[in-house]
Amino acid sequence: MNISIIGAGNIGGSLGKIWASKGHSIFFGVRNPNSEKTKKSLSEAGSTAIALFVKEAAQRSDVIVLATPWESVPEVVFQIVDMKNKILVDCTNPIRPNPDWPLAQGTSAAEEIAKRLLGFHVVKAFNTLGAANLIDVQFNAVQADGFICGDDEASKAVVTQLAKEIGLRPVDVGGLRNAELLESLAKLWITLAYQQGIGPNIAFKLLQR
Ligand SMILES: NC(=O)c1ccc[n+]([C@@H]2O[C@H](COP(=O)([O-])OP(=O)(O)OC[C@H]3O[C@@H](n4cnc5c(N)ncnc54)[C@H](OP(=O)(O)O)[C@@H]3O)[C@@H](O)[C@H]2O)c1
């Protein structure tokens, strides 16, 4: 599969490296092909991955992964807004406020993106654990969960398969209206890792019996 990843930093680079190793063609969408982050992500993803400017990269794939800081999202959305029939996998977390796109209580970054990208099916995924964890999602004998939500079942099925390829156990959290919950879960992850001093080698697991 062709996968375009907009943002070649921690999370974009980790996803690109893993999916390239599974045989997918990776197109990083970047604003600076010569930045240190772009060069590192390209070298880790191997010789089949390439970096292009954002719009050109997005045109190459039906699956576009959004992996930039929330503050950069309006600029990225502006460049891809006219595209049609794409899956947009939103990994962003609105940690800092974005004055251009204020988030009202009860909504989410993913829903704000979906409101503007009318030709896309938006799926929220890969935002609830640290990028370094993606490389190894086994915690002793326990498999980390990958929480996914979105309104289009076929698009969620594609993202579910991509989550399985990472080694995550996919957990369907329902429609995109629940993205707010996943963005809050990410805030809990950050609080536990960095403010409570547990460190970033943690992930969430839904227990069931
Ligand atoms: N890090 C994590 O563990 C983690 C986990 C889950 C979710 N997230 C979320 O994922 C997103 C990215 O986090 P990160 O830690 O990967 O950030 P990062 O390491 O700072 O990487 C961000 C990337 O986005 C690129 N970028 C910024 N503005 C851009 C624009 N306008 N057009 C194209 N590319 C642009 C940067 O490019 P330059 O090289 O040009 O600056 C950089 O490659 C955030 O929303 C974050 O909340 C992060």
PDB file of all heavy atoms in Angstrom, residues 55-91:
ATOM      1  N   LYS A  55       1.777  18.558  -0.405  1.00  0.00           N
ATOM      2  CA  LYS A  55       0.691  18.274  -1.364  1.00  0.00           C
ATOM      3  C   LYS A  55       1.071  17.127  -2.293  1.00  0.00           C
ATOM      4  O   LYS A  55       0.258  16.222  -2.552  1.00  0.00           O
ATOM      5  CB  LYS A  55       0.380  19.541  -2.167  1.00  0.00           C
ATOM      6  CG  LYS A  55      -0.818  19.391  -3.064  1.00  0.00           C
ATOM      7  CD  LYS A  55      -1.293  20.710  -3.631  1.00  0.00           C
ATOM      8  CE  LYS A  55      -2.595  20.518  -4.380  1.00  0.00           C
ATOM      9  NZ  LYS A  55      -3.161  21.763  -4.850  1.00  0.00           N
ATOM     10  N   GLU A  56       2.291  17.161  -2.767  1.00  0.00           N
ATOM     11  CA  GLU A  56       2.764  16.122  -3.695  1.00  0.00           C
ATOM     12  C   GLU A  56       2.748  14.754  -3.009  1.00  0.00           C
ATOM     13  O   GLU A  56       2.339  13.749  -3.596  1.00  0.00           O
ATOM     14  CB  GLU A  56       4.179  16.492  -4.146  1.00  0.00           C
ATOM     15  CG  GLU A  56       4.571  15.881  -5.458  1.00  0.00           C
ATOM     16  CD  GLU A  56       6.031  16.185  -5.777  1.00  0.00           C
ATOM     17  OE1 GLU A  56       6.565  17.196  -5.270  1.00  0.00           O
ATOM     18  OE2 GLU A  56       6.622  15.390  -6.515  1.00  0.00           O
ATOM     19  N   ALA A  57       3.194  14.721  -1.747  1.00  0.00           N
ATOM     20  CA  ALA A  57       3.187  13.447  -1.003  1.00  0.00           C
ATOM     21  C   ALA A  57       1.761  12.945  -0.823  1.00  0.00           C
ATOM     22  O   ALA A  57       1.475  11.762  -1.036  1.00  0.00           O
ATOM     23  CB  ALA A  57       3.857  13.631   0.355  1.00  0.00           C
ATOM     24  N   ALA A  58       0.851  13.850  -0.454  1.00  0.00           N
ATOM     25  CA  ALA A  58      -0.535  13.439  -0.193  1.00  0.00           C
ATOM     26  C   ALA A  58      -1.199  12.890  -1.456  1.00  0.00           C
ATOM     27  O   ALA A  58      -2.036  11.986  -1.386  1.00  0.00           O
ATOM     28  CB  ALA A  58      -1.330  14.622   0.360  1.00  0.00           C
ATOM     29  N   GLN A  59      -0.810  13.424  -2.607  1.00  0.00           N
ATOM     30  CA  GLN A  59      -1.411  12.959  -3.873  1.00  0.00           C
ATOM     31  C   GLN A  59      -1.027  11.514  -4.195  1.00  0.00           C
ATOM     32  O   GLN A  59      -1.686  10.859  -4.992  1.00  0.00           O
ATOM     33  CB  GLN A  59      -0.976  13.878  -5.013  1.00  0.00           C
ATOM     34  CG  GLN A  59      -1.734  15.202  -5.020  1.00  0.00           C
ATOM     35  CD  GLN A  59      -1.094  16.254  -5.913  1.00  0.00           C
ATOM     36  OE1 GLN A  59       0.113  16.194  -6.197  1.00  0.00           O
ATOM     37  NE2 GLN A  59      -1.879  17.234  -6.334  1.00  0.00           N
ATOM     38  N   ARG A  60       0.058  11.024  -3.597  1.00  0.00           N
ATOM     39  CA  ARG A  60       0.560   9.690  -3.947  1.00  0.00           C
ATOM     40  C   ARG A  60      -0.225   8.536  -3.326  1.00  0.00           C
ATOM     41  O   ARG A  60      -0.023   7.383  -3.708  1.00  0.00           O
ATOM     42  CB  ARG A  60       2.031   9.551  -3.511  1.00  0.00           C
ATOM     43  CG  ARG A  60       2.997  10.503  -4.186  1.00  0.00           C
ATOM     44  CD  ARG A  60       3.221  10.104  -5.631  1.00  0.00           C
ATOM     45  NE  ARG A  60       4.264  10.932  -6.236  1.00  0.00           N
ATOM     46  CZ  ARG A  60       5.497  10.512  -6.505  1.00  0.00           C
ATOM     47  NH1 ARG A  60       5.842   9.265  -6.233  1.00  0.00           N
ATOM     48  NH2 ARG A  60       6.380  11.326  -7.045  1.00  0.00           N
ATOM     49  N   SER A  61      -1.045   8.818  -2.304  1.00  0.00           N
ATOM     50  CA  SER A  61      -1.645   7.717  -1.534  1.00  0.00           C
ATOM     51  C   SER A  61      -3.120   7.949  -1.262  1.00  0.00           C
ATOM     52  O   SER A  61      -3.586   9.085  -1.236  1.00  0.00           O
ATOM     53  CB  SER A  61      -0.938   7.584  -0.175  1.00  0.00           C
ATOM     54  OG  SER A  61       0.442   7.515  -0.321  1.00  0.00           O
ATOM     55  N   ASP A  62      -3.822   6.844  -0.986  1.00  0.00           N
ATOM     56  CA  ASP A  62      -5.203   6.953  -0.514  1.00  0.00           C
ATOM     57  C   ASP A  62      -5.261   7.036   1.007  1.00  0.00           C
ATOM     58  O   ASP A  62      -6.308   7.337   1.575  1.00  0.00           O
ATOM     59  CB  ASP A  62      -6.015   5.740  -0.988  1.00  0.00           C
ATOM     60  CG  ASP A  62      -6.180   5.759  -2.500  1.00  0.00           C
ATOM     61  OD1 ASP A  62      -6.171   6.861  -3.085  1.00  0.00           O
ATOM     62  OD2 ASP A  62      -6.284   4.672  -3.098  1.00  0.00           O
ATOM     63  N   VAL A  63      -4.140   6.706   1.660  1.00  0.00           N
ATOM     64  CA  VAL A  63      -4.073   6.798   3.124  1.00  0.00           C
ATOM     65  C   VAL A  63      -3.057   7.866   3.493  1.00  0.00           C
ATOM     66  O   VAL A  63      -1.871   7.765   3.143  1.00  0.00           O
ATOM     67  CB  VAL A  63      -3.664   5.447   3.749  1.00  0.00           C
ATOM     68  CG1 VAL A  63      -3.513   5.581   5.262  1.00  0.00           C
ATOM     69  CG2 VAL A  63      -4.691   4.378   3.411  1.00  0.00           C
ATOM     70  N   ILE A  64      -3.542   8.902   4.184  1.00  0.00           N
ATOM     71  CA  ILE A  64      -2.674  10.018   4.562  1.00  0.00           C
ATOM     72  C   ILE A  64      -2.652  10.102   6.085  1.00  0.00           C
ATOM     73  O   ILE A  64      -3.714  10.214   6.721  1.00  0.00           O
ATOM     74  CB  ILE A  64      -3.187  11.339   3.958  1.00  0.00           C
ATOM     75  CG1 ILE A  64      -3.200  11.216   2.429  1.00  0.00           C
ATOM     76  CG2 ILE A  64      -2.342  12.516   4.413  1.00  0.00           C
ATOM     77  CD1 ILE A  64      -3.881  12.355   1.726  1.00  0.00           C
ATOM     78  N   VAL A  65      -1.475  10.017   6.643  1.00  0.00           N
ATOM     79  CA  VAL A  65      -1.318  10.041   8.101  1.00  0.00           C
ATOM     80  C   VAL A  65      -0.868  11.438   8.508  1.00  0.00           C
ATOM     81  O   VAL A  65       0.146  11.932   8.013  1.00  0.00           O
ATOM     82  CB  VAL A  65      -0.281   8.978   8.538  1.00  0.00           C
ATOM     83  CG1 VAL A  65      -0.074   9.024  10.051  1.00  0.00           C
ATOM     84  CG2 VAL A  65      -0.717   7.595   8.081  1.00  0.00           C
ATOM     85  N   LEU A  66      -1.633  12.055   9.397  1.00  0.00           N
ATOM     86  CA  LEU A  66      -1.318  13.413   9.839  1.00  0.00           C
ATOM     87  C   LEU A  66      -0.519  13.324  11.136  1.00  0.00           C
ATOM     88  O   LEU A  66      -1.055  12.909  12.175  1.00  0.00           O
ATOM     89  CB  LEU A  66      -2.613  14.197  10.031  1.00  0.00           C
ATOM     90  CG  LEU A  66      -2.503  15.668  10.381  1.00  0.00           C
ATOM     91  CD1 LEU A  66      -1.632  16.428   9.386  1.00  0.00           C
ATOM     92  CD2 LEU A  66      -3.891  16.286  10.434  1.00  0.00           C
ATOM     93  N   ALA A  67       0.753  13.727  11.070  1.00  0.00           N
ATOM     94  CA  ALA A  67       1.670  13.545  12.214  1.00  0.00           C
ATOM     95  C   ALA A  67       2.508  14.802  12.436  1.00  0.00           C
ATOM     96  O   ALA A  67       3.720  14.742  12.633  1.00  0.00           O
ATOM     97  CB  ALA A  67       2.570  12.329  11.969  1.00  0.00           C
ATOM     98  N   THR A  68       1.819  15.952  12.401  1.00  0.00           N
ATOM     99  CA  THR A  68       2.493  17.217  12.711  1.00  0.00           C
ATOM    100  C   THR A  68       1.967  17.728  14.051  1.00  0.00           C
ATOM    101  O   THR A  68       0.937  17.274  14.533  1.00  0.00           O
ATOM    102  CB  THR A  68       2.183  18.301  11.652  1.00  0.00           C
ATOM    103  OG1 THR A  68       0.792  18.664  11.779  1.00  0.00           O
ATOM    104  CG2 THR A  68       2.479  17.827  10.253  1.00  0.00           C
ATOM    105  N   PRO A  69       2.650  18.725  14.635  1.00  0.00           N
ATOM    106  CA  PRO A  69       2.046  19.376  15.799  1.00  0.00           C
ATOM    107  C   PRO A  69       0.688  19.975  15.420  1.00  0.00           C
ATOM    108  O   PRO A  69       0.459  20.361  14.265  1.00  0.00           O
ATOM    109  CB  PRO A  69       3.058  20.486  16.144  1.00  0.00           C
ATOM    110  CG  PRO A  69       4.350  20.023  15.537  1.00  0.00           C
ATOM    111  CD  PRO A  69       3.977  19.266  14.299  1.00  0.00           C
ATOM    112  N   TRP A  70      -0.213  20.047  16.386  1.00  0.00           N
ATOM    113  CA  TRP A  70      -1.557  20.590  16.169  1.00  0.00           C
ATOM    114  C   TRP A  70      -1.484  22.004  15.582  1.00  0.00           C
ATOM    115  O   TRP A  70      -2.281  22.380  14.730  1.00  0.00           O
ATOM    116  CB  TRP A  70      -2.304  20.556  17.506  1.00  0.00           C
ATOM    117  CG  TRP A  70      -3.603  21.286  17.585  1.00  0.00           C
ATOM    118  CD1 TRP A  70      -3.929  22.266  18.478  1.00  0.00           C
ATOM    119  CD2 TRP A  70      -4.772  21.082  16.776  1.00  0.00           C
ATOM    120  NE1 TRP A  70      -5.217  22.684  18.269  1.00  0.00           N
ATOM    121  CE2 TRP A  70      -5.762  21.974  17.224  1.00  0.00           C
ATOM    122  CE3 TRP A  70      -5.076  20.239  15.707  1.00  0.00           C
ATOM    123  CZ2 TRP A  70      -7.033  22.056  16.654  1.00  0.00           C
ATOM    124  CZ3 TRP A  70      -6.346  20.314  15.123  1.00  0.00           C
ATOM    125  CH2 TRP A  70      -7.293  21.205  15.597  1.00  0.00           C
ATOM    126  N   GLU A  71      -0.500  22.780  16.002  1.00  0.00           N
ATOM    127  CA  GLU A  71      -0.383  24.160  15.513  1.00  0.00           C
ATOM    128  C   GLU A  71      -0.170  24.210  13.997  1.00  0.00           C
ATOM    129  O   GLU A  71      -0.487  25.206  13.349  1.00  0.00           O
ATOM    130  CB  GLU A  71       0.797  24.885  16.182  1.00  0.00           C
ATOM    131  CG  GLU A  71       0.715  24.996  17.696  1.00  0.00           C
ATOM    132  CD  GLU A  71       1.344  23.805  18.408  1.00  0.00           C
ATOM    133  OE1 GLU A  71       0.864  22.669  18.197  1.00  0.00           O
ATOM    134  OE2 GLU A  71       2.287  24.004  19.165  1.00  0.00           O
ATOM    135  N   SER A  72       0.390  23.149  13.411  1.00  0.00           N
ATOM    136  CA  SER A  72       0.675  23.131  11.970  1.00  0.00           C
ATOM    137  C   SER A  72      -0.477  22.570  11.148  1.00  0.00           C
ATOM    138  O   SER A  72      -0.425  22.594   9.913  1.00  0.00           O
ATOM    139  CB  SER A  72       1.923  22.280  11.693  1.00  0.00           C
ATOM    140  OG  SER A  72       3.034  22.821  12.341  1.00  0.00           O
ATOM    141  N   VAL A  73      -1.501  22.060  11.813  1.00  0.00           N
ATOM    142  CA  VAL A  73      -2.567  21.364  11.091  1.00  0.00           C
ATOM    143  C   VAL A  73      -3.297  22.275  10.088  1.00  0.00           C
ATOM    144  O   VAL A  73      -3.537  21.864   8.948  1.00  0.00           O
ATOM    145  CB  VAL A  73      -3.534  20.671  12.080  1.00  0.00           C
ATOM    146  CG1 VAL A  73      -4.792  20.190  11.381  1.00  0.00           C
ATOM    147  CG2 VAL A  73      -2.819  19.509  12.753  1.00  0.00           C
ATOM    148  N   PRO A  74      -3.648  23.530  10.456  1.00  0.00           N
ATOM    149  CA  PRO A  74      -4.350  24.361   9.462  1.00  0.00           C
ATOM    150  C   PRO A  74      -3.556  24.514   8.160  1.00  0.00           C
ATOM    151  O   PRO A  74      -4.136  24.450   7.071  1.00  0.00           O
ATOM    152  CB  PRO A  74      -4.508  25.708  10.184  1.00  0.00           C
ATOM    153  CG  PRO A  74      -4.505  25.367  11.632  1.00  0.00           C
ATOM    154  CD  PRO A  74      -3.546  24.207  11.766  1.00  0.00           C
ATOM    155  N   GLU A  75      -2.256  24.688   8.287  1.00  0.00           N
ATOM    156  CA  GLU A  75      -1.414  24.850   7.087  1.00  0.00           C
ATOM    157  C   GLU A  75      -1.426  23.579   6.229  1.00  0.00           C
ATOM    158  O   GLU A  75      -1.494  23.653   4.996  1.00  0.00           O
ATOM    159  CB  GLU A  75       0.019  25.160   7.558  1.00  0.00           C
ATOM    160  CG  GLU A  75       0.949  25.607   6.468  1.00  0.00           C
ATOM    161  CD  GLU A  75       2.366  25.783   7.017  1.00  0.00           C
ATOM    162  OE1 GLU A  75       2.523  26.179   8.194  1.00  0.00           O
ATOM    163  OE2 GLU A  75       3.302  25.503   6.258  1.00  0.00           O
ATOM    164  N   VAL A  76      -1.396  22.423   6.870  1.00  0.00           N
ATOM    165  CA  VAL A  76      -1.428  21.151   6.132  1.00  0.00           C
ATOM    166  C   VAL A  76      -2.806  20.960   5.484  1.00  0.00           C
ATOM    167  O   VAL A  76      -2.906  20.622   4.301  1.00  0.00           O
ATOM    168  CB  VAL A  76      -1.096  19.962   7.072  1.00  0.00           C
ATOM    169  CG1 VAL A  76      -1.307  18.639   6.347  1.00  0.00           C
ATOM    170  CG2 VAL A  76       0.334  20.078   7.592  1.00  0.00           C
ATOM    171  N   VAL A  77      -3.853  21.201   6.262  1.00  0.00           N
ATOM    172  CA  VAL A  77      -5.221  21.027   5.746  1.00  0.00           C
ATOM    173  C   VAL A  77      -5.442  21.923   4.529  1.00  0.00           C
ATOM    174  O   VAL A  77      -6.031  21.504   3.521  1.00  0.00           O
ATOM    175  CB  VAL A  77      -6.250  21.306   6.868  1.00  0.00           C
ATOM    176  CG1 VAL A  77      -7.654  21.507   6.305  1.00  0.00           C
ATOM    177  CG2 VAL A  77      -6.243  20.152   7.867  1.00  0.00           C
ATOM    178  N   PHE A  78      -4.949  23.140   4.587  1.00  0.00           N
ATOM    179  CA  PHE A  78      -5.092  24.080   3.475  1.00  0.00           C
ATOM    180  C   PHE A  78      -4.521  23.490   2.178  1.00  0.00           C
ATOM    181  O   PHE A  78      -5.067  23.688   1.092  1.00  0.00           O
ATOM    182  CB  PHE A  78      -4.372  25.391   3.833  1.00  0.00           C
ATOM    183  CG  PHE A  78      -4.399  26.420   2.749  1.00  0.00           C
ATOM    184  CD1 PHE A  78      -5.564  27.126   2.463  1.00  0.00           C
ATOM    185  CD2 PHE A  78      -3.263  26.688   1.990  1.00  0.00           C
ATOM    186  CE1 PHE A  78      -5.586  28.069   1.442  1.00  0.00           C
ATOM    187  CE2 PHE A  78      -3.273  27.623   0.971  1.00  0.00           C
ATOM    188  CZ  PHE A  78      -4.443  28.319   0.691  1.00  0.00           C
ATOM    189  N   GLN A  79      -3.439  22.725   2.314  1.00  0.00           N
ATOM    190  CA  GLN A  79      -2.767  22.189   1.114  1.00  0.00           C
ATOM    191  C   GLN A  79      -3.451  20.954   0.538  1.00  0.00           C
ATOM    192  O   GLN A  79      -3.224  20.599  -0.611  1.00  0.00           O
ATOM    193  CB  GLN A  79      -1.310  21.854   1.448  1.00  0.00           C
ATOM    194  CG  GLN A  79      -0.499  23.096   1.792  1.00  0.00           C
ATOM    195  CD  GLN A  79       0.930  22.738   2.108  1.00  0.00           C
ATOM    196  OE1 GLN A  79       1.707  22.402   1.222  1.00  0.00           O
ATOM    197  NE2 GLN A  79       1.285  22.793   3.380  1.00  0.00           N
ATOM    198  N   ILE A  80      -4.273  20.275   1.348  1.00  0.00           N
ATOM    199  CA  ILE A  80      -4.863  19.020   0.851  1.00  0.00           C
ATOM    200  C   ILE A  80      -6.395  19.082   0.752  1.00  0.00           C
ATOM    201  O   ILE A  80      -7.029  18.096   0.389  1.00  0.00           O
ATOM    202  CB  ILE A  80      -4.442  17.820   1.738  1.00  0.00           C
ATOM    203  CG1 ILE A  80      -4.968  17.959   3.173  1.00  0.00           C
ATOM    204  CG2 ILE A  80      -2.914  17.688   1.759  1.00  0.00           C
ATOM    205  CD1 ILE A  80      -4.687  16.718   4.041  1.00  0.00           C
ATOM    206  N   VAL A  81      -6.945  20.262   1.052  1.00  0.00           N
ATOM    207  CA  VAL A  81      -8.399  20.367   1.230  1.00  0.00           C
ATOM    208  C   VAL A  81      -9.193  19.975  -0.020  1.00  0.00           C
ATOM    209  O   VAL A  81     -10.323  19.510   0.087  1.00  0.00           O
ATOM    210  CB  VAL A  81      -8.763  21.802   1.712  1.00  0.00           C
ATOM    211  CG1 VAL A  81      -8.544  22.832   0.623  1.00  0.00           C
ATOM    212  CG2 VAL A  81     -10.182  21.862   2.240  1.00  0.00           C
ATOM    213  N   ASP A  82      -8.611  20.112  -1.205  1.00  0.00           N
ATOM    214  CA  ASP A  82      -9.357  19.810  -2.428  1.00  0.00           C
ATOM    215  C   ASP A  82      -9.326  18.333  -2.818  1.00  0.00           C
ATOM    216  O   ASP A  82      -9.954  17.941  -3.803  1.00  0.00           O
ATOM    217  CB  ASP A  82      -8.797  20.634  -3.602  1.00  0.00           C
ATOM    218  CG  ASP A  82      -9.062  22.120  -3.396  1.00  0.00           C
ATOM    219  OD1 ASP A  82     -10.081  22.443  -2.743  1.00  0.00           O
ATOM    220  OD2 ASP A  82      -8.252  22.941  -3.852  1.00  0.00           O
ATOM    221  N   MET A  83      -8.587  17.512  -2.091  1.00  0.00           N
ATOM    222  CA  MET A  83      -8.474  16.098  -2.482  1.00  0.00           C
ATOM    223  C   MET A  83      -9.735  15.332  -2.083  1.00  0.00           C
ATOM    224  O   MET A  83     -10.457  15.730  -1.182  1.00  0.00           O
ATOM    225  CB  MET A  83      -7.229  15.491  -1.829  1.00  0.00           C
ATOM    226  CG  MET A  83      -5.952  16.147  -2.332  1.00  0.00           C
ATOM    227  SD  MET A  83      -4.479  15.438  -1.589  1.00  0.00           S
ATOM    228  CE  MET A  83      -3.267  16.650  -2.156  1.00  0.00           C
ATOM    229  N   LYS A  84      -9.953  14.213  -2.784  1.00  0.00           N
ATOM    230  CA  LYS A  84     -11.198  13.456  -2.572  1.00  0.00           C
ATOM    231  C   LYS A  84     -10.885  11.980  -2.323  1.00  0.00           C
ATOM    232  O   LYS A  84      -9.894  11.456  -2.801  1.00  0.00           O
ATOM    233  CB  LYS A  84     -12.090  13.529  -3.823  1.00  0.00           C
ATOM    234  CG  LYS A  84     -12.482  14.945  -4.216  1.00  0.00           C
ATOM    235  CD  LYS A  84     -13.780  15.376  -3.526  1.00  0.00           C
ATOM    236  CE  LYS A  84     -14.163  16.785  -3.886  1.00  0.00           C
ATOM    237  NZ  LYS A  84     -13.678  17.802  -2.979  1.00  0.00           N
ATOM    238  N   ASN A  85     -11.810  11.317  -1.625  1.00  0.00           N
ATOM    239  CA  ASN A  85     -11.764   9.861  -1.415  1.00  0.00           C
ATOM    240  C   ASN A  85     -10.468   9.377  -0.777  1.00  0.00           C
ATOM    241  O   ASN A  85      -9.849   8.426  -1.238  1.00  0.00           O
ATOM    242  CB  ASN A  85     -11.990   9.118  -2.741  1.00  0.00           C
ATOM    243  CG  ASN A  85     -13.354   9.422  -3.296  1.00  0.00           C
ATOM    244  OD1 ASN A  85     -14.321   9.506  -2.546  1.00  0.00           O
ATOM    245  ND2 ASN A  85     -13.431   9.621  -4.600  1.00  0.00           N
ATOM    246  N   LYS A  86     -10.063  10.052   0.275  1.00  0.00           N
ATOM    247  CA  LYS A  86      -8.852   9.662   1.002  1.00  0.00           C
ATOM    248  C   LYS A  86      -9.209   9.316   2.443  1.00  0.00           C
ATOM    249  O   LYS A  86     -10.190   9.837   2.991  1.00  0.00           O
ATOM    250  CB  LYS A  86      -7.849  10.818   1.041  1.00  0.00           C
ATOM    251  CG  LYS A  86      -7.530  11.430  -0.325  1.00  0.00           C
ATOM    252  CD  LYS A  86      -6.236  10.914  -0.853  1.00  0.00           C
ATOM    253  CE  LYS A  86      -5.772  11.703  -2.071  1.00  0.00           C
ATOM    254  NZ  LYS A  86      -4.713  11.014  -2.787  1.00  0.00           N
ATOM    255  N   ILE A  87      -8.363   8.489   3.026  1.00  0.00           N
ATOM    256  CA  ILE A  87      -8.450   8.233   4.469  1.00  0.00           C
ATOM    257  C   ILE A  87      -7.425   9.126   5.148  1.00  0.00           C
ATOM    258  O   ILE A  87      -6.256   9.151   4.748  1.00  0.00           O
ATOM    259  CB  ILE A  87      -8.145   6.752   4.788  1.00  0.00           C
ATOM    260  CG1 ILE A  87      -9.162   5.839   4.099  1.00  0.00           C
ATOM    261  CG2 ILE A  87      -8.118   6.521   6.292  1.00  0.00           C
ATOM    262  CD1 ILE A  87      -8.820   4.350   4.191  1.00  0.00           C
ATOM    263  N   LEU A  88      -7.874   9.880   6.154  1.00  0.00           N
ATOM    264  CA  LEU A  88      -6.950  10.744   6.907  1.00  0.00           C
ATOM    265  C   LEU A  88      -6.814  10.142   8.293  1.00  0.00           C
ATOM    266  O   LEU A  88      -7.793  10.105   9.055  1.00  0.00           O
ATOM    267  CB  LEU A  88      -7.509  12.169   6.965  1.00  0.00           C
ATOM    268  CG  LEU A  88      -6.700  13.362   7.475  1.00  0.00           C
ATOM    269  CD1 LEU A  88      -6.489  13.329   8.983  1.00  0.00           C
ATOM    270  CD2 LEU A  88      -5.357  13.515   6.769  1.00  0.00           C
ATOM    271  N   VAL A  89      -5.642   9.640   8.616  1.00  0.00           N
ATOM    272  CA  VAL A  89      -5.387   9.072   9.938  1.00  0.00           C
ATOM    273  C   VAL A  89      -4.801  10.175  10.810  1.00  0.00           C
ATOM    274  O   VAL A  89      -3.684  10.635  10.569  1.00  0.00           O
ATOM    275  CB  VAL A  89      -4.412   7.875   9.857  1.00  0.00           C
ATOM    276  CG1 VAL A  89      -4.290   7.206  11.226  1.00  0.00           C
ATOM    277  CG2 VAL A  89      -4.845   6.882   8.794  1.00  0.00           C
ATOM    278  N   ASP A  90      -5.575  10.601  11.792  1.00  0.00           N
ATOM    279  CA  ASP A  90      -5.159  11.738  12.615  1.00  0.00           C
ATOM    280  C   ASP A  90      -4.468  11.251  13.888  1.00  0.00           C
ATOM    281  O   ASP A  90      -5.103  10.676  14.775  1.00  0.00           O
ATOM    282  CB  ASP A  90      -6.399  12.581  12.966  1.00  0.00           C
ATOM    283  CG  ASP A  90      -6.058  13.676  13.957  1.00  0.00           C
ATOM    284  OD1 ASP A  90      -4.912  14.159  13.938  1.00  0.00           O
ATOM    285  OD2 ASP A  90      -6.945  14.049  14.752  1.00  0.00           O
ATOM    286  N   CYS A  91      -3.164  11.520  13.961  1.00  0.00           N
ATOM    287  CA  CYS A  91      -2.377  11.144  15.164  1.00  0.00           C
ATOM    288  C   CYS A  91      -2.135  12.330  16.078  1.00  0.00           C
ATOM    289  O   CYS A  91      -1.423  12.213  17.065  1.00  0.00           O
ATOM    290  CB  CYS A  91      -0.988  10.638  14.762  1.00  0.00           C
ATOM    291  SG  CYS A  91      -0.944   9.365  13.544  1.00  0.00           S
TER     292      CYS A  91
END
